[in-house]
């Protein structure tokens, strides 16, 4: 009789705990079904294949090019005020992005800086996918008046003055800079003076300048290809599952983190978009994310489609090292601009808690704000409405387990 009373008392105590701390008791939270384990392995960093080759960049895996590209990446002389480098917005200490809602170089852009973690795996670059290779991505900001604010002729001048031997050891002789004229000359649609100066160059000089400019992009791309995610606690957790070390699971994840993971792959359906080892499907979605009334409408992918097709530096262009049949992404690209109006690329969630603010214009300052938005959204691409506050806390805790060291050449 005394034993029955003690058991009853225990039940009452547990019941009171559930009332006082609703949602904080996770029974069997580290038990996973075979199907769930398969999903977790698909997200595991060990499932990430080797970095795919870029047929449009013959120097993509050249170590000397990567080393030179790293120097270019951090060199602020490649800007109009000598204060902006690629590393200004893609900060090593901030997961290769920055802490600003909108990227800021010579001026302020209309979108947030995307992280470069694992970007060598993506067929489309930038929020709108307007570039189809890392090297063509690297070239765009240099001639943007609000980013680096220089010209391709200026790039040739800097390389001639400061990198001549290193460049020529990889790419061959530089053209004679003295005959190039105005340093601001570029084929610009936004600067008649720069365009006029560009037209004054001979066809041979323009071709030579373009070639050096492209080679700078290909060297930077070789470096960016080395920026990869390292092993996170999530990856350690899946490794323990994979090796049948069930006893280690509780030492790697808290119960709340494990519950967040279960929600992430289960009822929250986060893997509909954040799938694979990089936690992104690389696709474009319009989630009706609110933006400031002061900002113009951003067509996103709908505009990116026409930009990448018209890009002189795309995979099918004269400066690509690829054969036409190797540019499958361009050949088979979905060009339905109505479908992609306002759509932005799904970003990776690797190291996501370390790099606020979030979304393409930095609309949210914290992960919890993002989760609250998703839960309240009626967008058909989002199915999170049934999530409780406890679910959101667990999801936030889980997302923190996706942080790990970021690997890159020289770091």
């Amino acid at each position: 009789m005394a034993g029955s009373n003690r058991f009853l008392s225990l039940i009452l105590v547990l019941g009171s705990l559930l009332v006082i701390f609703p949602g904080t008791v996770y029974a069997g939270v580290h038990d996973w079904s075979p199907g769930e384990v398969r999903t977790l392995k698909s997200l595991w960093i060990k499932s990430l294949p080797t970095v795919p080759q870029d047929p449009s960049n013959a120097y993509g895996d050249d170590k000397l090019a990567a080393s030179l590209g790293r120097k270019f990446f951090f060199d602020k002389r490649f800007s109009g005020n000598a204060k902006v480098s690629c590393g200004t917005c893609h900060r090593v200490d901030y997961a290769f992005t920055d802490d600003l809602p909108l990227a800021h170089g010579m001026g302020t852009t209309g979108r947030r800086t995307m992280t470069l973690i694992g970007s060598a795996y993506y067929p489309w670059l930038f929020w709108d996918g307007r570039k189809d290779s890392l090297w063509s991505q690297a070239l765009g900001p240099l001639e943007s008046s609000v980013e680096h604010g220089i010209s391709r002729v200026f790039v040739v001048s800097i390389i001639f003055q400061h990198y001549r031997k290193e460049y020529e050891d990889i790419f061959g002789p530089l053209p004679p800079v003295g005959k190039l004229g105005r340093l601001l000359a570029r084929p610009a649609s936004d600067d008649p003076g720069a365009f006029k100066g560009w037209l004054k160059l001979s066809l041979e000089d323009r071709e030579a300048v373009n070639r050096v400019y492209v080679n700078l992009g290909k060297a930077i791309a070789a470096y960016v290809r080395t920026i990869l995610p390292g092993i996170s606690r999530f990856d350690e957790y899946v490794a323990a599952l994979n090796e049948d070390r069930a006893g280690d699971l509780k030492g790697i994840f808290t119960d709340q983190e494990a519950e967040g993971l279960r929600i992430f792959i289960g009822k929250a359906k986060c893997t509909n978009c954040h799938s694979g080892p990089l936690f992104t499907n690389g696709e474009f979605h319009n989630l009706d994310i609110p933006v400031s009334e002061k900002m113009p409408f951003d067509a996103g992918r709908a505009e990116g489609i026409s930009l990448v097709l018209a890009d002189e530096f795309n995979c099918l262009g004269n400066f690509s090292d690829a054969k036409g049949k190797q540019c499958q992404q361009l050949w088979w690209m979905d060009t339905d601009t109505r479908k992609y109006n306002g759509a932005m690329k799904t970003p990776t969630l690797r190291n996501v808690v370390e790099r606020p603010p979030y979304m393409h214009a930095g609309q949210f300052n914290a992960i919890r704000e993002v989760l609250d938005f998703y839960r309240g959204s009626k967008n058909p691409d989002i199915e999170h409405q049934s999530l409780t506050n406890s679910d959101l806390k667990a999801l936030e805790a889980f997302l923190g387990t996706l942080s790990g060291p970021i690997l890159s050449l020289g770091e």
Side-chain angles (χ1 to χ4, degrees):
M1 188 64 182
S4 298
N5 288 337
R6 282 197 296 272
F7 179 73
L8 179 59
S9 297
L10 178 61
I11 293 297
L12 290 173
V13 169
L14 288 174
S16 65
L17 283 174
L18 286 170
V19 172
I20 296 171
F21 303 109
T24 59
V25 177
Y26 306 112
V29 74
H30 296 280
D31 297 331
W32 302 94
S33 70
E36 289 172 330
V37 171
R38 283 194 294 275
T39 300
L40 296 185
K41 285 183 180 178
S42 74
L43 300 169
W44 191 21
I45 199 167
K46 294 294 184 182
S47 298
L48 190 65
T50 55
V51 176
Q53 288 191 327
D54 176 4
S56 73
N57 183 2
Y59 303 93
D61 295 316
D62 186 310
K63 292 182 179 178
L64 286 178
S67 179
L68 180 58
R70 184 178 184 277
K71 293 180 181 179
F72 290 157
F73 188 91
F74 293 106
D75 192 337
K76 294 181 179 178
R77 289 173 296 199
F78 289 108
S79 65
N81 60 6
K83 296 180 179 178
V84 179
S85 73
C86 303
T88 299
C89 293
H90 298 286
R91 289 168 39 187
V92 175
D93 67 339
Y94 210 79
F96 284 92
T97 178
D98 60 25
D99 58 356
L100 301 174
L102 302 175
H104 186 85
M106 294 280 289
T108 301
T109 75
R111 294 188 186 134
R112 168 148 176 69
T113 303
M114 293 197 86
T115 179
L116 295 177
I117 301 172
S119 54
Y121 289 88
Y122 304 144
W124 310 113
L125 287 307
F126 290 119
W127 288 101
D128 57 5
R130 66 181 182 275
K131 294 288 186 177
D132 65 347
S133 70
L134 287 177
W135 63 269
S136 61
Q137 177 195 34
L139 300 179
L142 290 166
E143 292 193 323
S144 164
S145 60
V146 293
E147 296 184 67
H148 292 247
I150 57 174
S151 72
R152 59 195 71 185
V153 174
F154 190 89
V155 165
V156 175
S157 171
I158 294 294
I159 292 176
F160 187 89
Q161 293 177 58
H162 303 286
Y163 294 103
R164 182 169 187 172
K165 184 177 186 310
E166 289 175 273
Y167 175 94
E168 293 185 339
D169 284 346
I170 301 168
F171 299 108
L174 282 162
V177 171
K179 296 181 180 178
L180 295 180
R182 295 183 60 190
L183 291 179
L184 293 179
R186 59 188 174 95
S189 59
D190 60 342
D191 187 337
F195 187 57
K196 185 176 180 181
W198 179 251
L199 293 179
K200 286 184 177 179
L201 298 178
S202 69
L203 289 175
E204 292 77 12
D205 282 345
R206 282 185 241 163
E207 169 67 19
V209 168
N210 282 336
R211 180 59 62 186
V212 176
Y213 187 54
V214 164
N215 287 339
L216 169 130
K218 291 181 176 179
I220 292 175
Y223 166 63
V224 174
R225 283 169 62 81
T226 72
I227 302 172
L228 299 168
I231 295 174
S232 66
R233 277 201 296 124
F234 165 75
D235 301 304
E236 293 174 356
Y237 189 87
V238 180
L241 269 177
N242 191 50
E243 296 164 5
D244 293 324
R245 292 186 284 113
D248 292 346
L249 298 179
K250 289 187 176 181
I252 300 172
F253 268 16
T254 66
D255 286 358
Q256 187 183 47
E257 289 166 344
E259 180 65 12
L261 172 56
R262 190 178 305 282
I263 296 168
F264 186 89
I265 67 170
K267 73 175 184 179
K269 302 179 182 179
C270 300
T271 49
N272 284 357
C273 294
H274 294 286
S275 57
L278 292 175
F279 287 81
T280 172
N281 60 6
E283 296 295 332
F284 301 86
H285 304 277
N286 183 351
L287 302 181
D288 296 321
I289 301 167
V291 295
S292 168
E293 294 180 354
K294 297 178 181 178
M295 295 184 67
F297 173 72
D298 191 333
R301 179 59 171 164
E303 185 177 11
I305 289 170
S306 57
L307 290 174
V308 72
L309 287 174
D311 189 358
E312 63 180 317
F313 301 128
N314 71 21
C315 185
L316 292 169
N318 293 333
F319 300 100
S320 167
D321 298 316
K323 297 177 181 177
K325 62 182 180 181
Q326 294 176 302
C327 303
Q328 295 294 315
Q329 292 292 340
L330 272 180
W331 286 119
W332 299 106
M333 180 176 63
D334 186 346
T335 58
D336 186 343
T337 54
R338 288 186 298 176
K339 173 182 174 183
Y340 291 112
N341 196 30
M344 302 291 171
K345 193 171 79 170
T346 305
T348 178
L349 294 182
R350 291 277 174 182
N351 294 75
V352 66
V353 301
E354 301 173 3
R355 45 185 174 85
Y358 302 103
M359 303 303 185
H360 67 277
Q363 291 97 322
F364 301 122
N365 291 318
I367 286 285
R368 180 55 190 254
E369 293 180 24
V370 177
L371 298 176
D372 280 330
F373 167 76
Y374 281 159
R375 181 173 60 176
S377 173
K378 299 188 184 305
N379 187 295
D381 284 353
I382 304 174
E383 301 176 86
H384 304 311
Q385 289 85 357
S386 64
L387 298 177
T388 66
N389 287 337
S390 177
D391 290 339
L392 297 193
K393 287 180 180 177
L395 276 171
E396 186 175 5
F398 160 66
L399 292 172
T401 72
L402 298 179
S403 292
I406 300 172
L407 313 176
S408 66
L409 178 68
E411 304 300 335

